[in-house]
Amino acid sequence: MSKALTVFGATGNQGGSVIASVLGNPKLSSEYKLRAITRDPSKPSAKALADKGVETVKADLNDKESVKRAIEGSSAVFGVTNYWECFSKDTEVQQGKNIADACKETGVSLLIWSTIPHAGKMTNGKLSLPHFDSKAEVGEYIRDQHIPAVFFHAGCFMTNIKGALQTSDQGNTLVWNLNPDTKMPLFDAADDTGKFVAGILLHQSDLLGKDIYGATDWYTPTDITNTIQEVSGKKTTYQQLSDEKFQSVLPEAVAKELTETMMLIREYAYYGPGGDKILAESLKVSAAHKVKT
């Protein structure tokens, strides 16, 4: 009998990637019945999942009882929240706790929590990044509650490069406040998340309680501009702005947080000390989804 794997954010990049990877893996697709959580099962993206045989269930992350009903009977859960939908650290923390509490109360065997580092603690309060710290604090709560879990630390989204790229007929300019040789842990959330999660599901007994870093490799602004130039055929350069100038050209609502996110990458290598080693080990987990069993 198939076990239930419940996926939050099922119509988004990370959750959608998890569903695609599980459906594409013969072992996992036979072992797990997929359950997609959505606020609106009638929307086209949810219907597309249903057409693939995925059960779609309505739930509201702000309503703990609806989350608990959605999770009921699950063996494994992929949990993810989106700070940018609410712009509130407290709200995102509560949403994450609702998922965690529901997992504990319903006896879920594995919670895969999508998180990122706690910037405030890593930098001793120098940087304030609510969209980092909220997810990290939920991760701490999960550990404190002794919920069986693996912690997937999403890297920098490759899709964000597009927003930093200025294009013209003459060429392209990538604009950040990073040094040209600053290394970023990049990944394609819509394609790569599922590879890591599939690897976790295949080897969950060995990975319980561990941190898995989700990136394909480290890339510098120079690496990125060279790649864009090669692919586009247009001259592509990098322009480094000061932190103050960079913040001034961003939308006011997100300017400070995005500027400090880039400062975290530049000054603390995003993941903090030891990130290189943990990412190298994590890539073995991602590669495991390809192994035929």
Side-chain angles (χ1 to χ4, degrees):
M1 182 177 178
S2 296
K3 299 179 289 187
L5 167 61
T6 294
V7 179
F8 286 85
T11 58
N13 287 329
Q14 291 192 54
S17 179
V18 172
I19 289 175
S21 287
V22 172
L23 287 175
N25 184 289
K27 185 178 189 303
L28 292 175
S29 61
S30 63
E31 184 176 351
Y32 288 100
K33 177 177 172 57
L34 285 162
R35 182 183 299 166
I37 306 304
T38 176
R39 285 174 297 188
D40 183 7
S42 67
K43 65 183 179 181
S45 54
K47 288 183 175 180
L49 292 176
D51 290 342
K52 296 177 181 179
V54 178
E55 179 188 9
T56 57
V57 176
K58 182 177 181 178
D60 180 351
L61 285 175
N62 297 307
D63 180 353
K64 178 181 173 181
E65 287 306 311
S66 81
V67 172
K68 184 177 178 180
R69 288 193 298 271
I71 286 176
E72 189 73 48
S74 300
S75 174
V77 171
F78 174 75
V80 62
T81 51
N82 184 359
Y83 171 86
W84 304 110
E85 286 185 350
C86 59
F87 281 87
S88 167
K89 178 184 173 183
D90 290 343
T91 297
E92 187 175 29
V93 168
Q94 188 57 58
Q95 290 176 344
K97 286 183 175 181
N98 287 344
I99 294 174
D101 289 342
C103 287
K104 184 173 184 177
E105 292 169 16
T106 60
V108 167
S109 299
L110 173 66
L111 168 59
I112 302 171
W113 177 243
S114 179
T115 186
I116 33 183
H118 197 296
K121 291 183 178 180
M122 186 193 305
T123 67
N124 293 316
K126 178 181 177 181
L127 301 178
S128 175
L129 296 174
H131 79 288
F132 273 65
D133 297 352
S134 51
K135 298 174 184 66
E137 288 174 18
V138 173
E140 293 169 358
Y141 178 79
I142 291 168
R143 291 186 189 276
D144 289 343
Q145 294 298 308
H146 304 291
I147 297 167
V150 177
F151 303 88
F152 172 73
H153 294 250
C156 302
F157 284 32
M158 288 183 180
T159 49
N160 291 336
I161 294 172
K162 187 175 181 180
L165 191 66
Q166 299 177 356
T167 61
S168 70
D169 293 337
Q170 287 70 45
N172 307 305
T173 304
L174 183 66
V175 180
W176 277 322
N177 57 331
L178 303 176
N179 300 324
D181 60 352
T182 297
K183 293 181 179 181
M184 308 172 67
L186 291 172
F187 86 128
D188 180 354
D191 187 53
D192 296 324
T193 304
K195 298 173 185 177
F196 285 95
V197 172
I200 292 169
L201 290 168
L202 289 167
H203 300 283
Q204 57 188 274
S205 60
D206 298 325
L207 298 173
L208 279 176
K210 293 188 177 180
D211 297 297
I212 301 298
Y213 286 1
T216 56
D217 207 343
W218 301 88
Y219 302 88
T220 67
T222 299
D223 294 330
I224 295 167
T225 54
N226 288 343
T227 299
I228 293 172
Q229 179 166 304
E230 180 180 350
V231 172
S232 68
K234 292 184 177 181
K235 180 176 177 60
T236 303
T237 58
Y238 176 65
Q239 181 181 3
Q240 180 180 356
L241 300 182
S242 67
D243 294 335
E244 294 77 13
K245 178 62 176 176
F246 184 66
Q247 183 168 331
S248 73
V249 300
L250 294 172
E252 185 176 356
V254 297
K256 181 176 184 295
E257 184 134 2
L258 294 184
T259 299
E260 293 197 1
T261 296
M262 304 309 281
M263 291 169 65
L264 183 79
I265 297 168
R266 187 185 68 212
E267 298 175 22
Y268 298 90
Y270 188 82
Y271 286 126
D276 284 5
K277 182 178 179 180
I278 297 176
L279 179 56
E281 290 300 311
S282 298
L283 284 168
K284 297 176 184 177
V285 175
S286 173
H289 85 283
K290 301 177 183 177
V291 178
K292 293 182 180 180
T293 55

